Amino acid sequence: MVGMHEELMRKAIAVAEEAYRTGCPPYGAVVVHEGSVIGTGHNTVDVENDPTAHSEIHAIRDACQHWGADLAGCDLYTVFEPCPMCAAAIVWARIRTVVLGAPNPAFGAAVSRQPTIFEQMKQVHQVQVLTGVLQAECEALINQSRSRTASDGGA
């Protein structure tokens, strides 16, 4: 099972790396059903001038285009812990499990802040969380982005 989680997280990392090469932040997510990716997304907030254009939201939208609005039985792999908005969207989409790479201590809503959005919304749908899958790789990718931003004078 661990090998499968790592393989699927590598797909989310690949989405994040591609986004980063195009000038977007290195946040990537994939929605998976029975081991197959059915949706992908990366953060396009700045490109689209849309504060809701987070990687998890894009991955959910992409999966819903192919699968329908109810993603029960699907899992979401994300490089960076989702914010409250994305965590709520995960609940409403009925995602079964969220697999996290790196924690987001500042804004994370899946494990970093208590009570989590998943705990607060458990009466709607219960979401399981698996943390730390390829955490070092995910953190290195995010830190690389932060280093570039700092070297650009914060631009």
Side-chain angles (χ1 to χ4, degrees):
M1 193 65 137
V2 171
M4 181 189 72
H5 290 309
E6 289 177 353
E7 177 185 333
L8 292 167
M9 183 60 75
R10 287 192 196 291
K11 292 182 181 195
I13 290 169
V15 170
E17 289 172 336
E18 179 59 28
Y20 188 62
R21 281 192 288 280
T22 65
C24 293
Y27 307 132
V30 296
V31 175
V32 175
H33 182 262
E34 296 181 359
S36 296
V37 174
I38 63 167
T40 65
H42 67 276
N43 184 301
T44 60
V45 169
D46 294 334
V47 173
E48 295 181 14
N49 293 317
D50 179 355
T52 69
H54 291 197
S55 59
E56 296 89 351
I57 299 294
H58 278 302
I60 289 168
R61 288 177 180 160
D62 189 36
C64 288
Q65 290 295 313
H66 304 99
W67 195 260
D70 185 347
L71 298 176
C74 294
D75 305 313
L76 185 140
Y77 289 74
T78 183
V79 170
F80 202 40
E81 180 181 0
C83 71
M85 174 188 67
C86 293
I90 288 164
V91 171
W92 289 117
R94 305 185 65 74
I95 299 281
R96 174 180 52 196
T97 305
V98 173
V99 182
L100 303 176
N104 180 354
F107 300 107
V111 294
S112 293
R113 303 242 176 201
Q114 301 297 321
T116 70
I117 294 296
F118 299 144
E119 292 166 344
Q120 293 175 46
M121 295 183 71
K122 67 183 176 189
Q123 72 281 4
V124 174
H125 174 72
Q126 292 204 339
V127 176
Q128 302 300 313
V129 179
L130 177 61
T131 63
V133 175
L134 299 180
Q135 182 172 338
E137 289 181 40
C138 293
E139 287 175 342
L141 182 59
I142 292 161
N143 289 335
Q144 174 185 346
S145 166
R146 290 181 178 153
S147 295
R148 180 171 80 180
T149 301
S151 71
D152 290 346

PDB file of all heavy atoms in Angstrom, residues 84-85 87-92 115-127:
ATOM      1  N   PRO A  84      -8.477  25.894   4.319  1.00  0.00           N
ATOM      2  CA  PRO A  84      -9.878  25.652   4.702  1.00  0.00           C
ATOM      3  C   PRO A  84     -10.842  25.583   3.513  1.00  0.00           C
ATOM      4  O   PRO A  84     -11.738  24.736   3.491  1.00  0.00           O
ATOM      5  CB  PRO A  84     -10.206  26.833   5.616  1.00  0.00           C
ATOM      6  CG  PRO A  84      -8.886  27.202   6.222  1.00  0.00           C
ATOM      7  CD  PRO A  84      -7.883  26.980   5.105  1.00  0.00           C
ATOM      8  N   MET A  85     -10.663  26.440   2.515  1.00  0.00           N
ATOM      9  CA  MET A  85     -11.550  26.419   1.349  1.00  0.00           C
ATOM     10  C   MET A  85     -11.456  25.075   0.623  1.00  0.00           C
ATOM     11  O   MET A  85     -12.474  24.458   0.298  1.00  0.00           O
ATOM     12  CB  MET A  85     -11.177  27.553   0.381  1.00  0.00           C
ATOM     13  CG  MET A  85     -11.942  27.521  -0.934  1.00  0.00           C
ATOM     14  SD  MET A  85     -11.336  28.721  -2.145  1.00  0.00           S
ATOM     15  CE  MET A  85      -9.710  28.093  -2.527  1.00  0.00           C
ATOM     16  N   ALA A  87     -10.265  22.214   1.816  1.00  0.00           N
ATOM     17  CA  ALA A  87     -10.721  21.133   2.689  1.00  0.00           C
ATOM     18  C   ALA A  87     -12.242  21.025   2.648  1.00  0.00           C
ATOM     19  O   ALA A  87     -12.794  19.922   2.575  1.00  0.00           O
ATOM     20  CB  ALA A  87     -10.219  21.351   4.110  1.00  0.00           C
ATOM     21  N   ALA A  88     -12.933  22.151   2.664  1.00  0.00           N
ATOM     22  CA  ALA A  88     -14.397  22.117   2.584  1.00  0.00           C
ATOM     23  C   ALA A  88     -14.849  21.564   1.232  1.00  0.00           C
ATOM     24  O   ALA A  88     -15.785  20.756   1.170  1.00  0.00           O
ATOM     25  CB  ALA A  88     -14.975  23.509   2.823  1.00  0.00           C
ATOM     26  N   ALA A  89     -14.176  21.947   0.152  1.00  0.00           N
ATOM     27  CA  ALA A  89     -14.527  21.413  -1.170  1.00  0.00           C
ATOM     28  C   ALA A  89     -14.313  19.903  -1.218  1.00  0.00           C
ATOM     29  O   ALA A  89     -15.111  19.181  -1.828  1.00  0.00           O
ATOM     30  CB  ALA A  89     -13.699  22.108  -2.254  1.00  0.00           C
ATOM     31  N   ILE A  90     -13.279  19.427  -0.557  1.00  0.00           N
ATOM     32  CA  ILE A  90     -13.012  17.991  -0.496  1.00  0.00           C
ATOM     33  C   ILE A  90     -14.167  17.270   0.191  1.00  0.00           C
ATOM     34  O   ILE A  90     -14.614  16.220  -0.266  1.00  0.00           O
ATOM     35  CB  ILE A  90     -11.662  17.730   0.214  1.00  0.00           C
ATOM     36  CG1 ILE A  90     -10.504  18.165  -0.701  1.00  0.00           C
ATOM     37  CG2 ILE A  90     -11.524  16.279   0.651  1.00  0.00           C
ATOM     38  CD1 ILE A  90      -9.167  18.328   0.001  1.00  0.00           C
ATOM     39  N   VAL A  91     -14.662  17.851   1.277  1.00  0.00           N
ATOM     40  CA  VAL A  91     -15.807  17.262   1.985  1.00  0.00           C
ATOM     41  C   VAL A  91     -17.024  17.239   1.071  1.00  0.00           C
ATOM     42  O   VAL A  91     -17.683  16.203   0.924  1.00  0.00           O
ATOM     43  CB  VAL A  91     -16.122  18.034   3.286  1.00  0.00           C
ATOM     44  CG1 VAL A  91     -17.444  17.563   3.887  1.00  0.00           C
ATOM     45  CG2 VAL A  91     -14.989  17.877   4.293  1.00  0.00           C
ATOM     46  N   TRP A  92     -17.350  18.372   0.463  1.00  0.00           N
ATOM     47  CA  TRP A  92     -18.549  18.451  -0.386  1.00  0.00           C
ATOM     48  C   TRP A  92     -18.448  17.514  -1.589  1.00  0.00           C
ATOM     49  O   TRP A  92     -19.469  16.997  -2.061  1.00  0.00           O
ATOM     50  CB  TRP A  92     -18.812  19.889  -0.838  1.00  0.00           C
ATOM     51  CG  TRP A  92     -19.273  20.756   0.279  1.00  0.00           C
ATOM     52  CD1 TRP A  92     -18.630  21.858   0.779  1.00  0.00           C
ATOM     53  CD2 TRP A  92     -20.461  20.615   1.071  1.00  0.00           C
ATOM     54  NE1 TRP A  92     -19.339  22.385   1.827  1.00  0.00           N
ATOM     55  CE2 TRP A  92     -20.476  21.655   2.028  1.00  0.00           C
ATOM     56  CE3 TRP A  92     -21.514  19.698   1.076  1.00  0.00           C
ATOM     57  CZ2 TRP A  92     -21.498  21.813   2.962  1.00  0.00           C
ATOM     58  CZ3 TRP A  92     -22.537  19.853   2.015  1.00  0.00           C
ATOM     59  CH2 TRP A  92     -22.515  20.894   2.934  1.00  0.00           C
ATOM     60  N   PRO A 115      -9.777  22.448  15.739  1.00  0.00           N
ATOM     61  CA  PRO A 115     -10.203  21.254  15.019  1.00  0.00           C
ATOM     62  C   PRO A 115     -10.047  21.466  13.513  1.00  0.00           C
ATOM     63  O   PRO A 115     -10.171  22.580  13.014  1.00  0.00           O
ATOM     64  CB  PRO A 115     -11.679  21.099  15.404  1.00  0.00           C
ATOM     65  CG  PRO A 115     -12.136  22.487  15.708  1.00  0.00           C
ATOM     66  CD  PRO A 115     -10.925  23.206  16.267  1.00  0.00           C
ATOM     67  N   THR A 116      -9.794  20.391  12.804  1.00  0.00           N
ATOM     68  CA  THR A 116      -9.631  20.480  11.353  1.00  0.00           C
ATOM     69  C   THR A 116     -10.991  20.724  10.697  1.00  0.00           C
ATOM     70  O   THR A 116     -12.038  20.495  11.304  1.00  0.00           O
ATOM     71  CB  THR A 116      -9.037  19.176  10.782  1.00  0.00           C
ATOM     72  OG1 THR A 116     -10.015  18.141  10.877  1.00  0.00           O
ATOM     73  CG2 THR A 116      -7.749  18.779  11.489  1.00  0.00           C
ATOM     74  N   ILE A 117     -10.962  21.184   9.471  1.00  0.00           N
ATOM     75  CA  ILE A 117     -12.199  21.347   8.703  1.00  0.00           C
ATOM     76  C   ILE A 117     -12.890  19.990   8.567  1.00  0.00           C
ATOM     77  O   ILE A 117     -14.108  19.889   8.652  1.00  0.00           O
ATOM     78  CB  ILE A 117     -11.924  21.958   7.318  1.00  0.00           C
ATOM     79  CG1 ILE A 117     -11.404  23.387   7.448  1.00  0.00           C
ATOM     80  CG2 ILE A 117     -13.163  21.899   6.426  1.00  0.00           C
ATOM     81  CD1 ILE A 117     -12.364  24.389   8.070  1.00  0.00           C
ATOM     82  N   PHE A 118     -12.101  18.936   8.406  1.00  0.00           N
ATOM     83  CA  PHE A 118     -12.688  17.601   8.275  1.00  0.00           C
ATOM     84  C   PHE A 118     -13.430  17.203   9.542  1.00  0.00           C
ATOM     85  O   PHE A 118     -14.490  16.592   9.475  1.00  0.00           O
ATOM     86  CB  PHE A 118     -11.624  16.569   7.907  1.00  0.00           C
ATOM     87  CG  PHE A 118     -10.937  16.838   6.586  1.00  0.00           C
ATOM     88  CD1 PHE A 118      -9.599  16.561   6.423  1.00  0.00           C
ATOM     89  CD2 PHE A 118     -11.639  17.369   5.505  1.00  0.00           C
ATOM     90  CE1 PHE A 118      -8.961  16.795   5.212  1.00  0.00           C
ATOM     91  CE2 PHE A 118     -11.014  17.605   4.285  1.00  0.00           C
ATOM     92  CZ  PHE A 118      -9.675  17.323   4.139  1.00  0.00           C
ATOM     93  N   GLU A 119     -12.881  17.546  10.695  1.00  0.00           N
ATOM     94  CA  GLU A 119     -13.573  17.273  11.960  1.00  0.00           C
ATOM     95  C   GLU A 119     -14.835  18.123  12.083  1.00  0.00           C
ATOM     96  O   GLU A 119     -15.886  17.631  12.503  1.00  0.00           O
ATOM     97  CB  GLU A 119     -12.644  17.528  13.147  1.00  0.00           C
ATOM     98  CG  GLU A 119     -11.504  16.541  13.244  1.00  0.00           C
ATOM     99  CD  GLU A 119     -10.394  16.965  14.184  1.00  0.00           C
ATOM    100  OE1 GLU A 119     -10.309  18.161  14.563  1.00  0.00           O
ATOM    101  OE2 GLU A 119      -9.586  16.101  14.535  1.00  0.00           O
ATOM    102  N   GLN A 120     -14.734  19.386  11.709  1.00  0.00           N
ATOM    103  CA  GLN A 120     -15.875  20.289  11.816  1.00  0.00           C
ATOM    104  C   GLN A 120     -17.019  19.898  10.888  1.00  0.00           C
ATOM    105  O   GLN A 120     -18.177  20.147  11.191  1.00  0.00           O
ATOM    106  CB  GLN A 120     -15.445  21.729  11.510  1.00  0.00           C
ATOM    107  CG  GLN A 120     -14.501  22.307  12.534  1.00  0.00           C
ATOM    108  CD  GLN A 120     -14.013  23.672  12.124  1.00  0.00           C
ATOM    109  OE1 GLN A 120     -14.801  24.514  11.701  1.00  0.00           O
ATOM    110  NE2 GLN A 120     -12.719  23.909  12.230  1.00  0.00           N
ATOM    111  N   MET A 121     -16.705  19.273   9.761  1.00  0.00           N
ATOM    112  CA  MET A 121     -17.721  18.932   8.765  1.00  0.00           C
ATOM    113  C   MET A 121     -18.024  17.435   8.706  1.00  0.00           C
ATOM    114  O   MET A 121     -18.634  16.966   7.757  1.00  0.00           O
ATOM    115  CB  MET A 121     -17.274  19.439   7.387  1.00  0.00           C
ATOM    116  CG  MET A 121     -17.176  20.952   7.301  1.00  0.00           C
ATOM    117  SD  MET A 121     -16.720  21.529   5.644  1.00  0.00           S
ATOM    118  CE  MET A 121     -18.231  21.160   4.741  1.00  0.00           C
ATOM    119  N   LYS A 122     -17.649  16.686   9.731  1.00  0.00           N
ATOM    120  CA  LYS A 122     -17.824  15.235   9.688  1.00  0.00           C
ATOM    121  C   LYS A 122     -19.277  14.811   9.580  1.00  0.00           C
ATOM    122  O   LYS A 122     -19.570  13.724   9.090  1.00  0.00           O
ATOM    123  CB  LYS A 122     -17.150  14.569  10.881  1.00  0.00           C
ATOM    124  CG  LYS A 122     -17.779  14.881  12.208  1.00  0.00           C
ATOM    125  CD  LYS A 122     -17.005  14.241  13.332  1.00  0.00           C
ATOM    126  CE  LYS A 122     -17.609  14.642  14.670  1.00  0.00           C
ATOM    127  NZ  LYS A 122     -16.760  14.218  15.770  1.00  0.00           N
ATOM    128  N   GLN A 123     -20.225  15.666   9.966  1.00  0.00           N
ATOM    129  CA  GLN A 123     -21.638  15.318   9.820  1.00  0.00           C
ATOM    130  C   GLN A 123     -22.073  15.356   8.356  1.00  0.00           C
ATOM    131  O   GLN A 123     -23.050  14.719   7.988  1.00  0.00           O
ATOM    132  CB  GLN A 123     -22.541  16.229  10.678  1.00  0.00           C
ATOM    133  CG  GLN A 123     -22.672  17.649  10.192  1.00  0.00           C
ATOM    134  CD  GLN A 123     -21.497  18.574  10.516  1.00  0.00           C
ATOM    135  OE1 GLN A 123     -20.487  18.163  11.074  1.00  0.00           O
ATOM    136  NE2 GLN A 123     -21.613  19.835  10.156  1.00  0.00           N
ATOM    137  N   VAL A 124     -21.323  16.056   7.522  1.00  0.00           N
ATOM    138  CA  VAL A 124     -21.602  16.090   6.087  1.00  0.00           C
ATOM    139  C   VAL A 124     -21.005  14.856   5.423  1.00  0.00           C
ATOM    140  O   VAL A 124     -21.678  14.142   4.682  1.00  0.00           O
ATOM    141  CB  VAL A 124     -21.043  17.382   5.439  1.00  0.00           C
ATOM    142  CG1 VAL A 124     -21.216  17.349   3.920  1.00  0.00           C
ATOM    143  CG2 VAL A 124     -21.684  18.613   6.048  1.00  0.00           C
ATOM    144  N   HIS A 125     -19.717  14.629   5.686  1.00  0.00           N
ATOM    145  CA  HIS A 125     -18.995  13.490   5.097  1.00  0.00           C
ATOM    146  C   HIS A 125     -17.678  13.339   5.849  1.00  0.00           C
ATOM    147  O   HIS A 125     -16.989  14.329   6.095  1.00  0.00           O
ATOM    148  CB  HIS A 125     -18.724  13.741   3.609  1.00  0.00           C
ATOM    149  CG  HIS A 125     -17.876  12.702   2.961  1.00  0.00           C
ATOM    150  ND1 HIS A 125     -18.307  11.430   2.687  1.00  0.00           N
ATOM    151  CD2 HIS A 125     -16.589  12.761   2.532  1.00  0.00           C
ATOM    152  CE1 HIS A 125     -17.334  10.743   2.110  1.00  0.00           C
ATOM    153  NE2 HIS A 125     -16.282  11.530   2.012  1.00  0.00           N
ATOM    154  N   GLN A 126     -17.317  12.127   6.171  1.00  0.00           N
ATOM    155  CA  GLN A 126     -16.053  11.882   6.867  1.00  0.00           C
ATOM    156  C   GLN A 126     -14.935  11.638   5.863  1.00  0.00           C
ATOM    157  O   GLN A 126     -15.097  10.838   4.936  1.00  0.00           O
ATOM    158  CB  GLN A 126     -16.182  10.702   7.818  1.00  0.00           C
ATOM    159  CG  GLN A 126     -17.090  11.020   8.979  1.00  0.00           C
ATOM    160  CD  GLN A 126     -16.812  10.159  10.189  1.00  0.00           C
ATOM    161  OE1 GLN A 126     -16.230   9.094  10.090  1.00  0.00           O
ATOM    162  NE2 GLN A 126     -17.239  10.643  11.337  1.00  0.00           N
ATOM    163  N   VAL A 127     -13.847  12.354   6.078  1.00  0.00           N
ATOM    164  CA  VAL A 127     -12.670  12.246   5.222  1.00  0.00           C
ATOM    165  C   VAL A 127     -11.521  11.695   6.059  1.00  0.00           C
ATOM    166  O   VAL A 127     -11.250  12.204   7.144  1.00  0.00           O
ATOM    167  CB  VAL A 127     -12.280  13.620   4.635  1.00  0.00           C
ATOM    168  CG1 VAL A 127     -11.000  13.526   3.815  1.00  0.00           C
ATOM    169  CG2 VAL A 127     -13.415  14.199   3.810  1.00  0.00           C
TER     170      VAL A 127
END
